[in-house]
Amino acid sequence: MPLLVDGRRVRLARSAAELVREHPSLEERARLLRGQSVQQVGPQGLLYVQQRELAVTTPKDGSISILGSDDATTCHIVVLRHTGNGATCLTHCDGTDTKAEVPLIMSAIKSFSDHTECGRLEVHLVGGFSDDRQLSQKLTHQLLSEFDKQDDDIHLVTLCVTELNDREENENHFPIIYGIAVNIKTAEIYRASFQDHGPEEQLRAARALAGGPNLSTSPLAEPPHFVEHIRSTLMFLKRFPSPANILFPGNKALLYKKNEDGLWEKISPGN
């Protein structure tokens, strides 16, 4: 079934800027999102999503009320929501395997949905900028194309990507929005940054770094803390060159839950 905007089929052979000009509601939504101030989101009730991670939950979740991600340069942050039951999925896509990621996002939402429920699937895409290598443009097209190939009708509600999320300074281009959060209870999506990135931050960052060919796709556009983040991740990999043997004793998962204060608490053994 097609990807839709205001009930009309999206024509994909266009740039993001051309697409929003054809659909004024998308242009207005992007303008409003860009104009927001960045909100600092605390750890209470937050599930932070790193690059190449996915999270999904519903308003019935008593522990998680916010999904969020940031530090997106050429990457895109994708939010898919079912308006009937409020099931919401957020993922941080870097273009490594978009063809596999989009069906995974769909499956995650459907695992919380009953086909008899009223409502529709709405998707929001945020991130990227006008980078010299056109990686953002490529990822935008990949995501739109893959969502258009899914069996279900999917309604594109927010498109603030690539040239729609670009600012220029001293002849260099940068993203306007690096991160967003979504309130699971209210469905509000807003610009955000996060000090707390959840449990096992370095381990999770090492997984993403070890699986990719580059330290950065856009070094000049990275946020100020990027170098320290990469340094600490590399030091982690040096300390734990074979983390599976050391950090996962008996090949058991590391499990965490939110405590009564809304903070992560370890509930499984391990170092």
Side-chain angles (χ1 to χ4, degrees):
M1 299 297 285
L3 187 66
L4 304 170
V5 177
D6 299 326
R8 290 190 291 156
R9 177 76 181 266
V10 172
R11 290 194 286 171
L12 297 179
R14 293 167 172 264
S15 68
E18 290 173 326
L19 185 57
V20 298
R21 281 197 292 271
E22 187 171 309
H23 300 279
S25 62
L26 288 179
E27 187 166 23
E28 177 65 9
R29 175 86 176 179
R31 184 188 68 80
L32 291 173
L33 191 60
R34 290 193 303 266
Q36 291 181 0
S37 299
V38 178
Q39 297 187 37
Q40 299 288 333
V41 178
Q44 285 81 11
L46 168 67
L47 200 168
Y48 181 85
V49 176
Q50 289 200 32
Q51 186 173 333
R52 299 184 194 168
E53 291 184 340
L54 175 151
V56 60
T57 190
T58 75
K60 295 179 181 179
D61 192 325
S63 301
I64 302 298
S65 56
I66 296 172
L67 300 179
S69 187
D70 61 0
D71 292 351
T73 52
T74 58
C75 293
H76 290 17
I77 302 170
V78 179
V79 176
L80 182 67
R81 181 175 182 272
H82 189 282
T83 62
N85 63 8
T88 304
C89 177
L90 185 146
T91 187
H92 187 131
C93 298
D94 62 4
T96 302
D97 193 358
T98 307
K99 191 171 184 178
E101 286 174 333
V102 169
L104 188 62
I105 295 168
M106 296 293 295
S107 296
I109 284 293
K110 288 181 179 181
S111 69
F112 284 88
S113 303
D114 185 334
H115 290 293
T116 63
E117 287 180 308
C118 296
R120 67 182 195 176
L121 292 171
E122 295 184 345
V123 68
H124 310 260
L125 307 180
V126 179
F129 67 109
S130 297
D131 62 283
D132 292 339
R133 298 165 64 190
Q134 296 190 327
L135 296 175
S136 302
Q137 184 180 28
K138 180 181 178 182
L139 181 53
T140 295
H141 182 73
Q142 287 176 344
L143 286 166
L144 291 172
S145 295
E146 290 305 319
F147 275 112
D148 191 59
K149 294 176 184 176
Q150 302 307 303
D151 293 335
D152 301 86
D153 283 351
I154 302 172
H155 298 261
L156 179 62
V157 176
T158 304
L159 187 69
C160 190
V161 295
T162 314
E163 60 264 52
L164 303 172
N165 189 44
D166 182 80
R167 67 178 180 86
E168 188 173 354
E169 182 179 331
N170 298 325
E171 299 184 353
N172 292 315
H173 290 263
F174 302 86
I176 298 171
I177 301 173
Y178 282 87
I180 61 169
V182 54
N183 186 310
I184 305 303
K185 314 296 184 186
T186 67
E188 178 189 8
I189 294 175
Y190 52 94
R191 294 180 63 178
S193 64
F194 311 86
Q195 290 296 318
D196 183 88
H197 291 176
E200 307 291 351
E201 177 183 356
Q202 290 182 329
L203 173 61
R204 293 157 58 208
R207 170 184 169 273
L209 184 62
N214 301 303
L215 295 181
S216 173
T217 56
S218 50
L220 291 177
E222 297 290 352
H225 57 267
F226 174 76
V227 172
E228 178 56 35
H229 170 70
I230 291 295
R231 181 184 293 115
S232 65
T233 304
L234 291 173
M235 291 299 294
F236 178 88
L237 285 169
K238 182 178 179 180
R239 182 183 175 194
F240 300 107
S242 301
N245 300 328
I246 301 172
L247 302 177
F248 300 91
N251 201 30
K252 293 182 180 178
L254 302 179
L255 301 179
Y256 289 80
K257 69 174 182 179
K258 288 283 189 177
N259 61 24
E260 293 180 355
D261 296 322
L263 305 177
W264 289 110
E265 181 179 277
K266 199 170 190 176
I267 58 172
S268 68
N271 296 338

